[in-house]
Amino acid sequence: MTKKTFLGNLLLILAAIIWGGAFIAQKTGLETIGPITFNGVRSLMGAVGLAVFLALRSVITKKSVSVSGRGLLYGLILGIIVNILLNKFKKDDKDAE
């Protein structure tokens, strides 16, 4: 097994562990806080994780990552809209039961 194959397999196992642990975290989180707050915190954690990844990538590859203010604004607006729509559909599903 080559080093690249081994690293790929390790990353797949890590992804499976994170994916499986997410269900437990979601169940526990939704019992503690409401769905809108939960989705907001989850989105914020994803944004912070992505920012850290991009910062590390720019340090490692010596290429700067530039994001315009307009791009950040559009991303924020789109994220808010998607979050509202997802929560609306989730609420409608609960009402249907």
Side-chain angles (χ1 to χ4, degrees), residues 12-78:
L12 284 173
I13 291 171
L14 178 65
I17 291 170
I18 291 171
W19 189 290
F23 292 111
I24 298 168
Q26 288 173 3
K27 183 177 180 185
T28 305
L30 286 173
E31 290 173 355
T32 308
I33 58 177
I36 294 174
T37 306
F38 180 77
N39 280 338
V41 170
R42 188 174 70 171
S43 297
L44 183 64
M45 288 172 50
V48 169
L50 183 61
V52 168
F53 172 77
L54 290 175
L56 288 175
R57 182 176 171 221
S58 66
V59 168
I60 292 170
T61 61
K62 306 287 191 243
K63 293 180 184 176
S64 64
V65 177
S66 64
V67 178
S68 67
R70 181 173 280 184
L72 286 175
L73 179 64
Y74 289 157
L76 180 65
I77 291 170
L78 183 63

Side-chain angles (χ1 to χ4, degrees), residues 75-86:
L76 180 65
I77 291 170
L78 183 63
I80 290 170
I81 291 170
V82 167
N83 196 0
I84 290 169
L85 289 175
L86 286 176

Side-chain angles (χ1 to χ4, degrees), residues 90-97:
K90 190 180 294 187
K91 183 180 176 191
D92 289 345
D93 286 345
K94 287 183 180 179
D95 292 341
E97 293 176 357

